[in-house]
Amino acid sequence: MKTPSRVLVVGASLGGLSVVEALRREGYAGGVTLLGAERHLPYDRPPLSKKVLSGAVEPEKTFLRSESAVAQLDAEVILGDPAVRLDLTAREVHTAAGRVLRADVIVLATGIEPRRLPGQEKWAGVHVLRTVDDAVALRADLLENPRLVVVGEGVLGTEIAATARSMGLAVTLTGPQSAPLAGQLGPLVGGVLAKLHAERGVDLRLGVAVKQLVGGDDGRVAGVLLENGEVLPAERVVVAIGSRPATGWLAGSGLDLSDGIVCDARCRAAEGVYAVGDAASFHHEGLGVRLRLESRSNAVEQAMAVAANIVGKDKPYTPVPFFWTDQYETKIQTFGILSPEAEVAVVEGDPEKRQFVALYGKNGKVIGALGWNAIKAIRAYRQFVVDGKPWAEVGAQAS
């Protein structure tokens, strides 16, 4: 493979920045352009729903690299100019400001965007949380209003609920699942998480979907109407009902967008086009399945694999999926692809004591491991996931 003379990375995110850094570590000396839709230098997103929202960390502290460190990468950095169209044949990206950027290789790292409730834009006081500007705006609003309804009992919703309660707000958490994260982690862990939030004073209104938002005469949100007819009073609402790949600008490009940006095992979406991060779905040769992973560790590891492939190393991307969430003083970590329908066995500790390791099994083998306040203990079970350890051998260890 001929080494490209110029690489264009679309998306000044963790994944995008990591591609640029990995290329330089690989010895790539060609031209690099990093294009970002936001005006900020690349920043870390996990702190937004926790330390930035609570005020423990200033937004600038989330920046991944200083201006001088980015300058040392010897890359052209264009910020505040979203990509609006990809010309696959010409290998060109057109931007909102009218730029036309050409490159031999293009890496797509535009991530995901939050889903919204129908009509939520017309009510003041309704927020989503994806960007650092979102976090700053939400914090300012919460400091003026003591009552919050969080719509969505997934990872982001539960993290926001935990942070808001720690700030002293009255918080209601609502969503269709029977327990927080039950759809991702299953009923056992969901039940423990529900107890944790209830003990911390969160009003849990779960198991019923949201029908619509209710506004007041002043144009501000006044409540959340549930499908069962109940109205939850709300001075502020955060909508955290999931996300979708930010691929609208790629419509008509010729790329397969049926599951984010569909790639092969080398994270290649087309000749000379790669994708990394939350929007990229790829074939995992080790597991024999297609995956699209939304996690910090995936963005970094996938970027390294893509950089290696750009310089001709032909490296399949076969990660062990890793994820974590921090809520109150609790840290939950997982390896593998957890399924709510999987068998679950606690192999260390006790859920009632809020410190344990659980293994997840499906089709006769271990598919995942979860640690609840068990940072060191869970590491020993990563290999179980890698090896697909027979589930029959787990029973002897289960407590």
Side-chain angles (χ1 to χ4, degrees):
M1 174 183 171
K2 181 181 177 181
T3 301
S5 61
R6 174 161 291 278
V7 176
L8 167 62
V9 181
V10 185
S13 55
L14 171 63
L17 175 65
S18 296
V19 170
V20 179
E21 293 181 328
L23 281 171
R24 295 310 190 204
R25 287 196 301 269
E26 291 283 359
Y28 178 72
V32 177
T33 299
L34 180 63
L35 173 68
E38 295 183 57
R39 57 189 174 87
H40 306 289
L41 286 170
Y43 57 86
D44 212 10
R45 294 190 192 276
L48 300 183
S49 59
K50 299 176 279 287
K51 292 184 177 181
V52 173
L53 185 57
S54 70
V57 167
E58 291 298 317
E60 293 76 14
K61 295 294 184 181
T62 66
F63 289 4
L64 293 163
R65 303 289 183 268
S66 65
E67 286 190 26
S68 60
V70 172
Q72 289 175 8
L73 294 171
D74 191 24
E76 178 187 21
V77 179
I78 303 171
L79 300 176
D81 191 7
V84 296
R85 187 168 70 87
L86 169 66
D87 185 328
L88 200 58
T89 303
R91 212 84 46 88
E92 294 176 345
V93 169
H94 297 244
T95 75
R99 290 184 173 93
V100 179
L101 304 174
R102 299 177 180 87
D104 302 298
V105 170
I106 297 174
V107 182
L108 307 174
T110 47
I112 54 178
E113 57 191 13
R115 294 183 182 277
R116 290 171 164 81
L117 291 171
Q120 75 174 60
E121 294 81 5
K122 66 182 179 181
W123 304 118
V126 182
H127 295 261
V128 295
L129 178 52
R130 173 62 183 171
T131 69
V132 66
D133 291 336
D134 290 338
V136 170
L138 176 57
R139 172 170 169 75
D141 231 359
L142 295 185
L143 291 176
E144 296 181 358
N145 298 273
R147 187 164 53 183
L148 172 70
V149 173
V150 180
V151 179
E153 70 296 74
V155 175
L156 181 60
T158 51
E159 288 183 349
I160 293 171
T163 301
R165 272 304 298 147
S166 300
M167 294 169 63
L169 276 73
V171 179
T172 300
L173 179 65
T174 187
Q177 298 182 90
S178 59
L181 272 70
Q184 294 93 332
L185 306 179
L188 187 150
V189 176
V192 179
L193 195 56
K195 289 181 181 179
L196 174 64
H197 278 276
E199 290 168 359
R200 295 305 180 97
V202 175
D203 182 11
L204 299 176
R205 302 295 182 90
L206 303 177
V208 57
V210 169
K211 185 174 183 179
Q212 64 184 54
L213 299 177
V214 178
D217 294 335
D218 58 356
R220 304 196 65 84
V221 68
V224 176
L225 174 62
L226 305 182
E227 288 287 359
N228 62 6
E230 181 181 8
V231 176
L232 306 177
E235 292 158 341
R236 294 294 179 267
V237 173
V238 178
V239 177
I241 55 175
S243 58
R244 55 179 164 240
T247 56
W249 70 283
L250 293 169
S253 67
L255 295 180
D256 184 348
L257 306 177
S258 57
D259 179 19
I261 304 167
V262 176
C263 302
D264 63 14
R266 272 69 180 169
C267 305
R268 185 171 44 230
E271 185 64 32
V273 179
Y274 295 82
V276 303
D278 297 348
S281 71
F282 63 98
H283 177 71
H284 193 299
E285 288 188 348
L287 299 175
V289 297
R290 174 163 296 282
L291 298 177
R292 188 172 67 80
L293 304 173
E294 297 181 11
S295 72
R296 188 186 194 282
S297 60
N298 172 68
V300 175
E301 293 175 5
Q302 197 168 30
M304 294 169 62
V306 165
N309 286 321
I310 289 173
V311 299
K313 290 191 174 180
D314 191 33
K315 182 178 181 181
Y317 182 50
T318 56
V320 178
F322 174 72
F323 157 80
W324 85 92
T325 178
D326 296 329
Q327 301 184 26
Y328 308 106
E329 294 80 35
T330 296
K331 180 179 285 291
I332 301 171
Q333 298 169 292
T334 72
F335 288 112
I337 305 296
L338 278 58
S339 167
E341 295 82 24
E343 296 181 77
V344 179
V346 176
V347 292
E348 284 194 32
D350 183 353
E352 291 299 321
K353 296 180 180 178
R354 308 290 168 82
Q355 188 171 29
F356 64 95
V357 176
L359 296 181
Y360 288 64
K362 195 172 183 179
N363 298 326
K365 63 181 183 180
V366 174
I367 61 168
L370 178 144
W372 182 299
N373 286 337
I375 297 174
K376 292 182 179 180
I378 192 177
R379 294 174 187 165
Y381 296 95
R382 181 181 184 275
Q383 197 62 39
F384 284 29
V385 178
V386 174
D387 296 340
K389 187 178 180 70
W391 186 250
E393 298 178 17
V394 172
Q397 296 178 263
S399 58

